[in-house]
Amino acid sequence: ATAVETLQLEAVSKDGTRVPYFVTRQQGTKNGPTLMYAYGGFGIPVLPTYQATAGVAWLERGGMYVEANIRGGGEFGPAWSNVARKAGRLKAYEDLEAVADDLYRRGLARPEQLGLLGRSNGGLLVGNMLARSPHRFGALVGEVPLLDM
């Protein structure tokens, strides 16, 4: 894709923690269909990357791609990851909801335009969004989710 930009923004989670996320879009795109990806587990970081297939198939057609750095992931070391384990697991889900709400507050997306994609542990996130807050998303795609935990 040509003329692509990535913004780093922050949402504020339920407990006041600032949760960074990245928005990748064609320059000049103000809002529109948005695909969000998150993982939030096992200390694995989600970092901004350019995927050629997403660029041609999505960004060049006016879509935006969001990567959320929710707690549980390894973006900011063990403390960031460990706080969303065991009894703190709900923090990852609250972080994801905060990112969605921040996209709406900034006018970047609307619930009917926001899709959430997650694989494996990210699929578990998708399942939780289906149970906790389906009104925040127009589409939910969980690939190989671990839902029977």
Side-chain angles (χ1 to χ4, degrees), residues 17-40:
T17 300
R18 298 176 73 82
V19 179
Y21 65 97
F22 295 94
V23 176
T24 301
R25 63 188 183 180
Q26 270 195 319
Q27 289 179 350
T29 301
K30 300 296 181 205
N31 58 41
T34 304
L35 179 61
M36 180 165 39
Y37 176 78
Y39 189 77

Side-chain angles (χ1 to χ4, degrees), residues 6 8 20-24 37-40 43-51 65-70 73-77 80:
T6 298
Q8 185 175 18
Y21 65 97
F22 295 94
V23 176
T24 301
Y37 176 78
Y39 189 77
I44 296 172
V46 172
L47 304 173
T49 57
Y50 177 78
Q51 300 172 14
Y65 186 69
V66 173
E67 293 171 309
N69 300 140
I70 63 175
E75 295 85 359
F76 304 105
W80 185 259

Side-chain angles (χ1 to χ4, degrees), residues 72-86:
E75 295 85 359
F76 304 105
W80 185 259
S81 177
N82 291 338
V83 74
R85 295 183 68 212
K86 299 183 181 181

